[in-house]
């Protein structure tokens, strides 16, 4: 197993776990049901969903919201809003508490300090800033947090459907969205202040705009939107820092000139830095370093 660490990037494509067993089980059950007498009724049943994709998407989004609200009532965990809430109980203090504590502090005019009032720089600022803005409007409470995260879930499910539909076909988009609505990790993480709740819709919406442009639909100020959405996504989770290269590659596929491809790459990269300017200024004032 030690050797696998050298090739872990390749290993990710081949490793299996219990999810693989579940998938194989579903495939076997589907094959079995297909050969049962009366399977035509099952086929008609599933055809109804594929023939009404938008209605089905709304149905499963509502089901997904209901499952998440149910989990919120069943879950005993509640995020901290004051450092004193859990700071003395270190065993219960989590990264999710810190994200929410930073957001609550921002609503109070305090930018990323620890319990001792010392400035900190560890977290990406995207999601705490987003939460802090709404906390400043509606108050620091779990109803605001959970309402935002459920709204972001619905937006993500719709974007998954749109991406799958335009990349493949409506059945693929619908299946991907349904799986996300029912995904257990997504359901129980609704009680946690996680960067991913905001990161996914930001990233997916930028990708959706790029895909529309690749399919011939003009997007006004496209480079500005790519820069802002991918830039804020990167400020939320750094995984999207490579997106200017993706835009450049897409423009290569569209057969744009090399000059336009290079200028687009530079423009998206520079615009994507705009959301981080306040963060860089703040860090420089405190530490003399960006």
């Amino acid at each position: 197993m030690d050797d696998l660490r050298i090739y872990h990037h390749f290993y990710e494509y081949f490793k299996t776990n219990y999810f693989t067993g579940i998938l194989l089980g579903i495939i076997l059950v589907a094959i079995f049901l297909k050969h049962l007498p009366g399977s035509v009724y099952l086929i008609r049943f599933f055809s109804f969903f594929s023939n009404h994709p938008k209605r089905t998407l709304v149905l499963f989004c509502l089901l997904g919201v209901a499952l998440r609200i149910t989990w919120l009532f069943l879950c005993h965990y509640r995020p901290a809003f004051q450092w004193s809430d859990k700071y003395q109980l270190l065993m219960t203090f989590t990264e999710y508490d810190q994200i929410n504590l930073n957001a609550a502090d921002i609503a109070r005019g305090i930018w990323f300090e620890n319990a001792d009032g010392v400035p900190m720089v560890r977290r990406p600022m995207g999601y705490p800033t987003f939460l802090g803005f709404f906390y400043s409007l509606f108050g620091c409470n779990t109803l605001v947090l959970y309402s935002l995260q459920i709204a972001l879930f619905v937006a993500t499910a719709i974007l998954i459907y749109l991406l799958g539909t335009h990349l493949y076909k409506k059945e693929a988009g619908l299946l991907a969205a349904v799986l996300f609505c029912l995904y257990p990790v997504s359901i129980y993480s609704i009680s946690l202040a996680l960067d991913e709740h905001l990161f996914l819709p930001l990233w997916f919406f930028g990708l959706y705009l790029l895909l529309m442009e690749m399919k011939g639909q003009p997007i006004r100020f496209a480079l500005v939107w790519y820069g802002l959405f991918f830039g804020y996504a990167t400020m939320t989770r750094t995984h999207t820092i490579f997106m200017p290269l993706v835009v450049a590659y897409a423009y290569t596929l569209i057969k744009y000139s090399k000059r336009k491809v290079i200028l687009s790459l530079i423009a998206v990269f520079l615009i994507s830095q705009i959301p981080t300017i306040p963060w860089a200024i703040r860090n420089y004032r405190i530490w003399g370093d960006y």
Side-chain angles (χ1 to χ4, degrees), residues 39-104:
S39 61
V40 63
Y41 298 107
L42 281 173
I43 294 173
R44 289 176 182 175
F45 175 74
F46 288 110
S47 296
F48 171 82
F49 293 109
S50 62
N51 291 332
H52 302 84
K54 293 182 180 179
R55 294 181 184 178
T56 304
L57 178 63
V58 171
L59 174 66
F60 277 95
C61 281
L62 291 174
L63 177 59
V65 169
L67 289 171
R68 284 156 178 81
I69 292 176
T70 302
W71 170 248
L72 290 175
F73 279 105
L74 296 175
C75 179
H76 296 292
Y77 169 80
R78 290 294 179 269
F81 283 90
Q82 298 279 351
W83 284 96
S84 58
D85 289 347
K86 294 184 178 180
Y87 186 70
Q88 294 177 348
L89 304 174
L90 294 179
M91 294 302 293
T92 64
F93 185 78
T94 67
E95 179 183 4
Y96 322 119
D97 285 304
Q98 182 177 317
I99 294 174
N100 199 58
L101 286 165
N102 290 150

Side-chain angles (χ1 to χ4, degrees), residues 159-185:
L159 287 167
I160 288 174
Y161 168 75
L162 292 174
L163 286 172
T165 298
H166 288 286
L167 281 170
Y168 304 102
K169 55 182 181 179
K170 64 181 181 180
E171 290 83 2
L174 185 60
L175 177 60
V178 167
L179 291 175
F180 177 69
C181 291
L182 304 179
Y183 186 40
V185 175

Side-chain angles (χ1 to χ4, degrees), residues 26-225:
I26 292 173
I27 293 173
L28 291 174
V29 169
I31 294 173
F32 174 73
L33 292 176
K34 185 177 180 180
H35 291 86
L36 280 180
S39 61
V40 63
Y41 298 107
L42 281 173
I43 294 173
R44 289 176 182 175
F45 175 74
F46 288 110
S47 296
F48 171 82
F49 293 109
S50 62
N51 291 332
H52 302 84
K54 293 182 180 179
R55 294 181 184 178
T56 304
L57 178 63
V58 171
L59 174 66
F60 277 95
C61 281
L62 291 174
L63 177 59
V65 169
L67 289 171
R68 284 156 178 81
I69 292 176
T70 302
W71 170 248
L72 290 175
F73 279 105
L74 296 175
C75 179
H76 296 292
Y77 169 80
R78 290 294 179 269
F81 283 90
Q82 298 279 351
W83 284 96
S84 58
D85 289 347
K86 294 184 178 180
Y87 186 70
Q88 294 177 348
L89 304 174
L90 294 179
M91 294 302 293
T92 64
F93 185 78
T94 67
E95 179 183 4
Y96 322 119
D97 285 304
Q98 182 177 317
I99 294 174
N100 199 58
L101 286 165
N102 290 150
D105 281 349
I106 289 171
R108 303 181 186 108
I110 303 169
W111 281 83
F112 291 86
E113 295 180 356
N114 62 22
D116 299 321
V118 178
M120 56 189 293
V121 71
R122 189 177 72 86
R123 286 218 57 78
M125 65 178 290
Y127 194 44
T129 305
F130 178 82
L131 279 181
F133 171 75
F134 284 95
Y135 284 161
S136 66
L137 294 178
F138 303 107
C140 297
N141 58 74
T142 54
L143 180 61
V144 176
L145 172 66
Y146 297 152
S147 298
L148 281 175
Q149 297 193 157
I150 287 175
L152 291 171
F153 148 70
V154 174
T156 303
I158 293 172
L159 287 167
I160 288 174
Y161 168 75
L162 292 174
L163 286 172
T165 298
H166 288 286
L167 281 170
Y168 304 102
K169 55 182 181 179
K170 64 181 181 180
E171 290 83 2
L174 185 60
L175 177 60
V178 167
L179 291 175
F180 177 69
C181 291
L182 304 179
Y183 186 40
V185 175
S186 175
I187 293 172
Y188 69 67
S189 69
I190 203 69
S191 62
L192 307 174
L194 283 173
D195 300 300
E196 284 76 8
H197 292 300
L198 178 63
F199 172 73
L200 291 178
L202 285 173
W203 188 19
F204 290 169
F205 187 70
L207 286 172
Y208 175 71
L209 292 180
L210 182 60
L211 182 61
M212 290 297 95
E213 189 176 11
M214 292 181 69
K215 297 186 75 171
Q217 180 175 328
I219 306 293
R220 294 189 65 185
F221 309 111
L223 299 181
V224 175
W225 294 122

Side-chain angles (χ1 to χ4, degrees), residues 1 3-17:
M1 290 298 293
D3 292 339
L4 288 176
R5 288 183 298 179
I6 301 174
Y7 305 104
H8 67 279
H9 294 294
F10 297 102
Y11 175 56
E12 291 290 332
Y13 290 99
F14 299 101
K15 70 177 182 180
T16 60
N17 54 24

Side-chain angles (χ1 to χ4, degrees), residues 223 251 257-269:
L223 299 181
Y251 280 8
S257 66
K258 290 183 179 179
R259 181 176 179 273
K260 184 170 183 177
V261 170
I262 294 173
L263 290 177
S264 299
L265 170 64
I266 296 172
V268 173
F269 174 76

